[in-house]
Amino acid sequence: MTRETDVAVSLGRRVAPADASCFVSIHCNGHSTAGANGTEGLYFALGHAQSKELSNSIQTRLIASLGRRDRGLKLRTVQVLRQATVPATLVELAFITNPAEEVLLKSADGQERAARAIADGIAAFLGVRLRAENTQPAREAPQAQTASRQTHIVVAGDTLWRLSHRYGVSAAQIRQWNGLQHDIIRVGQVLIVS
């Protein structure tokens, strides 16, 4: 995290060496035309070899969560991406100059969905599991059991019932493994399914 208050931080200081696994710069896009819309991810081709993979992981989840037009991944040479020494991406959530997207960006729900999608994208890229939202931390299984666990990224149309049949386990087991208190799952959520 480069700041805790609403102050300007120089571009060079934003990517100063830190103990980080990746660098994600989060922005709202803007355009002179109010109709411009959508979500896009930027990466630097000559930067870290895995930057495009990080960008794609986040972009996929943002599109699913926010439901905005996918503007794709774009090669850019912006300073924060050029200077990063770890996989890096710049995320353009939506257009603040588009009235409909401005409403989404200002809403607590839109901000929460965007934040969760970004966190899910980073977690998937790093190969870690996030704790399910609004739950107690899941109990860790013994190391031997954890290594054999399979995960599933929730897509539109998935339900616990469908996942239980697909993976040959009960919905109750999926709830337990993921610390879920209910049957509600979200697009982009990463679930342990075996």
Side-chain angles (χ1 to χ4, degrees):
M1 299 294 186
T2 59
R3 68 196 108 185
E4 294 181 14
T5 60
D6 190 14
V7 296
V9 176
S10 71
L11 294 177
R13 288 188 51 216
R14 291 180 195 184
V15 292
D19 184 20
S21 299
C22 61
F23 176 83
V24 180
S25 187
I26 305 168
H27 298 259
C28 297
N29 220 335
H31 197 276
S32 59
T33 305
N37 63 80
T39 300
E40 64 189 20
L42 311 180
Y43 69 98
F44 180 53
L46 301 177
H48 194 281
Q50 293 179 308
S51 290
K52 185 175 182 180
E53 182 183 341
L54 170 64
S55 295
N56 187 57
S57 184
I58 294 171
Q59 178 78 0
T60 300
R61 286 157 182 82
L62 276 172
I63 295 302
S65 181
L66 299 180
R68 307 316 306 160
R69 180 170 72 97
D70 186 351
R71 295 175 59 91
L73 301 179
K74 306 222 165 74
L75 290 168
R76 294 292 185 266
T77 59
V78 295
Q79 184 176 348
V80 293
L81 298 179
R82 282 193 326 263
Q83 286 186 285
T85 59
V86 294
T89 185
L90 189 148
V91 176
E92 294 283 7
L93 295 173
F95 282 78
I96 200 160
T97 51
N98 178 297
E101 293 191 348
E102 179 186 14
V103 170
L104 172 72
L105 291 166
K106 283 184 174 180
S107 74
D109 177 64
Q111 292 172 15
E112 177 64 29
R113 287 178 14 220
R116 188 64 190 196
I118 292 168
D120 287 344
I122 293 169
F125 170 76
L126 296 174
V128 299
R129 180 174 70 95
L130 294 181
R131 180 171 54 99
E133 56 188 291
N134 299 324
T135 65
Q136 296 298 318
R139 252 187 263 175
E140 291 299 320
Q143 190 65 27
Q145 291 177 344
T146 303
S148 66
R149 295 273 166 122
Q150 182 178 3
T151 59
H152 174 86
I153 299 172
V154 177
V155 297
D158 279 346
T159 64
L160 284 184
W161 182 84
R162 285 183 179 156
L163 294 177
S164 69
H165 285 276
R166 179 176 177 180
Y167 294 100
V169 297
S170 71
Q173 287 174 307
I174 296 174
R175 277 194 303 277
Q176 179 186 8
W177 294 333
N178 293 280
L180 300 175
Q181 301 295 319
H182 47 71
D183 289 345
I184 299 169
I185 55 177
R186 289 185 33 256
V187 170
Q189 188 175 3
V190 179
L191 297 175
I192 295 174
V193 291
S194 72

